[in-house]
Amino acid sequence: MASDSDNEMENSMEEDIDSDLDDVELQKAFKEGRLKPGLNIEQKSKRPLINNKEALTAKYAEIYLDLPWVERLDCTNTPLLVNEADLPTKDDETLADNDFKREMLFYRQAQATVLEAIPRLKAENLATKRPDDYYAQMAKSDEHMKRIREYLVNRKSDIEKREKLRKLREQRLYGKKVQQEVLLKRQEDKTKLLKTMKKVRKGKIQKKIIITNLVLSISI
């Protein structure tokens, strides 16, 4: 039996032979001018587009159900264009390049469908509006709706709690700010009062000196 080293040697020799063959093929292609500058990637052939109208028409006839329009409620119409502003203005502009105009055409087409379908439904004596006393069966069970209601109530209470805490924090911050402003105002008032008292005291001393000088001058 061959050892693992012999198998590895045979595999490496086969890989070298394959790479040499690839190099030979590349050199041959380069000489023939089939290689172009840049990356040479093998291009897969695209699948041809097939538009077999006969097969599509036959399949449509096979699956078509001859039902009255009331059972199908299909409408095929063009958009209801109010003005030319809904259409592309430039020759090279398409609806794929303008989201607003594309959505507007969808809206106009829905309008045209309503204008066509409502009269036909009324002609068939079919109601187009929900009665005032109409009650539909709930898709969710009462237990499920109860859990949803509890979840919504809990979420609402959590939001209210967070809002209250936020307001309390704001009030505390505002209270601290007001307290600091009051302390600063008191400090300023105290400083002004001390300055005023110093000025008054200084004025009294000056008055005493003037009076003393007058008395001395008179006595002399």
Side-chain angles (χ1 to χ4, degrees):
M1 294 179 65
S3 61
D4 294 338
S5 60
D6 295 337
N7 292 331
E8 291 178 357
M9 186 177 295
E10 290 179 0
N11 292 332
S12 63
M13 290 177 65
E14 290 178 358
E15 291 177 357
D16 293 339
I17 293 171
D18 293 337
S19 63
D20 292 338
L21 292 175
D22 293 338
D23 293 340
V24 171
E25 291 179 358
L26 288 173
Q27 291 175 2
K28 184 178 179 181
F30 180 74
K31 288 181 180 180
E32 294 176 356
R34 290 186 285 117
L35 291 181
K36 296 181 179 180
L39 295 176
N40 292 278
I41 302 174
E42 183 180 359
Q43 298 291 336
K44 295 182 179 180
S45 58
K46 294 183 179 180
R47 184 178 179 182
L49 299 177
I50 301 174
N51 185 16
N52 193 341
K53 293 183 179 180
E54 295 180 357
L56 291 174
T57 305
K59 180 57 68 174
Y60 174 75
E62 180 183 347
I63 64 176
Y64 178 76
L65 298 176
D66 190 10
L67 298 174
W69 180 80
V70 176
E71 298 293 334
R72 294 181 284 110
L73 295 178
D74 56 342
C75 294
T76 304
N77 44 40
T78 57
L80 181 65
L81 297 178
V82 178
N83 49 41
E84 295 182 356
D86 298 333
L87 296 174
T89 55
K90 300 178 182 178
D91 296 337
D92 58 346
E93 183 184 7
T94 61
L95 292 176
D97 301 327
N98 195 320
D99 295 339
F100 177 76
K101 290 185 178 180
R102 185 174 66 253
E103 295 297 330
M104 182 56 67
L105 280 181
F106 292 157
Y107 173 72
R108 296 299 184 193
Q109 188 168 11
Q111 280 185 323
T113 303
V114 170
L115 293 176
E116 177 187 347
I118 293 297
R120 294 179 67 176
L121 290 172
K122 289 183 177 179
E124 297 287 341
N125 294 324
L126 295 175
T128 58
K129 293 183 179 180
R130 178 183 296 179
D132 296 334
D133 58 349
Y134 176 80
Y135 293 97
Q137 184 178 1
M138 297 293 292
K140 305 289 184 181
S141 63
D142 293 339
E143 184 179 355
H144 183 78
M145 294 304 296
K146 182 180 179 181
R147 290 199 301 268
I148 293 176
R149 195 177 299 108
E150 290 176 354
Y151 169 76
L152 293 175
V153 170
N154 293 332
R155 186 175 180 182
K156 183 179 179 181
S157 62
D158 292 340
I159 293 173
E160 291 177 352
K161 288 179 182 178
R162 286 197 294 268
E163 188 68 19
K164 288 181 180 179
L165 291 174
R166 185 182 64 81
K167 289 182 178 179
L168 286 174
R169 285 195 296 269
E170 291 179 354
Q171 289 176 358
R172 288 175 183 174
L173 292 174
Y174 181 74
K176 288 182 179 179
K177 184 178 179 181
V178 171
Q179 186 178 6
Q180 289 177 356
E181 291 178 354
V182 170
L183 292 175
L184 290 174
K185 186 71 169 55
R186 288 179 181 176
Q187 187 67 29
E188 290 177 358
D189 294 341
K190 186 176 180 181
T191 304
K192 289 181 180 179
L193 181 61
L194 290 174
K195 289 181 179 179
T196 305
M197 291 177 66
K198 286 181 180 179
K199 289 180 180 180
V200 171
R201 289 176 181 175
K202 188 175 181 181
K204 287 182 178 180
I205 292 171
Q206 288 178 353
K207 286 182 180 179
K208 287 182 180 180
I209 293 172
I210 293 171
I211 293 171
T212 304
N213 292 333
L214 287 173
V215 171
L216 290 173
S217 62
I218 292 171
S219 61
I220 293 172

